[in-house]
């Protein structure tokens, strides 16, 4: 199996980030959502302007994961006030962790999660957390297998449909 590698994303990578963001999100959530709501979300969240703001935010970091020379997925981490819910300095949020369908089953999600945990420990975070759609049973099981526990719920709006995300965290101390 080809070796995977993580690469920090910067503003020169905007178009590549937009392409993989739209594709992985569509692959993950087209089933169970209307095309209208999905497209509304994709157009808003993954516009070049929005992604540029996210990449340039001082408390957010993006990483691409490559399988050999192929872009296979990406990771977005948030610190401090960039976090979508918990804004403190003792936690780090995994806002996005996506692998293209064609690269799933190759332990790339695990590699990105391990990378996120390594960064969180290096930054002396007490815990790392994320939100995951309550209907995404495969992802929930993956996080549980890695020691994450549910601690709350929040509403995530996809297009015009409110959905429930489970908030899960992994204590690091």
């Amino acid at each position: 199996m080809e070796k995977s590698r993580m690469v920090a994303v910067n503003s020169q990578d905007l178009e590549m980030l937009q392409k993989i963001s739209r594709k992985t999100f569509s692959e993950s959530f087209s089933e169970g959502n209307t095309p209208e709501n999905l497209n509304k979300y994709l157009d808003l969240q993954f516009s070049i302007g929005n992604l540029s703001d996210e990449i340039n935010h001082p408390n957010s970091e993006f990483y691409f994961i490559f399988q050999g020379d192929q872009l296979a997925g990406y990771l977005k981490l948030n610190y401090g006030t960039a976090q979508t819910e918990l804004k403190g300095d003792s936690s780090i949020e995994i806002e996005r962790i996506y692998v293209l369908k064609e690269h799933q089953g190759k332990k790339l999600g695990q590699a990105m999660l391990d990378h996120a945990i390594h960064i969180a420990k290096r930054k002396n975070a007490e815990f790392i957390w994320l939100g995951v759609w309550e209907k995404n049973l495969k992802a929930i099981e993956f996080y549980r297998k890695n020691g994450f526990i549910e601690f709350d719920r929040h509403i995530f709006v996809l297009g015009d449909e409110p959905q429930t995300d489970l908030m899960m965290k992994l204590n690091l101390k």
Side-chain angles (χ1 to χ4, degrees):
M1 182 184 293
E2 293 180 281
K3 187 168 171 55
S4 65
R5 62 187 166 87
M6 302 280 301
V7 177
V9 177
N10 61 48
S11 54
Q12 284 74 45
D13 301 317
L14 259 175
E15 288 182 12
M16 196 163 47
L17 178 63
Q18 182 186 43
K19 185 176 178 183
I20 195 163
S21 295
R22 291 179 64 91
K23 185 168 184 188
T24 55
F25 195 90
S26 295
E27 287 178 348
S28 298
F29 301 111
S30 59
E31 192 174 309
N33 289 292
T34 68
E36 296 79 18
N37 280 334
L38 188 67
N39 288 328
K40 186 176 179 179
Y41 183 85
L42 292 174
D43 291 345
L44 179 67
Q45 291 298 322
F46 301 128
S47 69
I48 289 292
N50 198 55
L51 288 171
S52 178
D53 290 347
E54 290 182 6
I55 284 178
N56 292 309
H57 194 292
N59 290 326
S60 293
E61 294 177 10
F62 284 85
Y63 298 91
F64 285 143
I65 190 161
F66 288 86
Q67 180 75 28
D69 62 354
Q70 291 188 319
L71 178 58
Y74 78 104
L75 167 69
K76 180 185 181 198
L77 301 176
N78 293 322
Y79 315 100
T81 58
Q83 296 177 87
T84 58
E85 297 273 334
L86 312 175
K87 308 283 187 187
D89 292 328
S90 62
S91 63
I92 292 178
E93 174 190 20
I94 298 173
E95 185 179 354
R96 300 182 196 134
I97 184 169
Y98 289 106
V99 176
L100 290 166
K101 275 213 186 310
E102 66 200 74
H103 291 283
Q104 290 180 3
K106 299 177 182 177
K107 307 276 187 220
L108 300 179
Q110 187 68 56
M112 287 190 287
L113 181 60
D114 292 346
H115 186 73
I117 292 168
H118 173 78
I119 289 171
K121 286 180 177 177
R122 193 180 74 221
K123 291 184 179 278
N124 212 23
E126 292 178 21
F127 62 96
I128 193 165
W129 71 278
L130 52 85
V132 59
W133 188 27
E134 67 182 352
K135 294 182 181 179
N136 191 346
L137 303 179
K138 183 178 169 186
I140 292 167
E141 182 57 32
F142 170 73
Y143 296 122
R144 284 186 178 144
K145 183 186 84 178
N146 278 280
F148 282 74
I149 57 168
E150 183 182 339
F151 71 96
D152 203 352
R153 292 170 181 254
H154 71 169
I155 299 300
F156 175 88
V157 181
L158 185 84
D160 61 11
E161 182 185 348
Q163 300 179 349
T164 302
D165 277 0
L166 304 180
M167 293 173 67
M168 302 180 80
K169 72 178 179 178
L170 176 67
N171 290 318
L172 301 174
K173 293 186 176 193

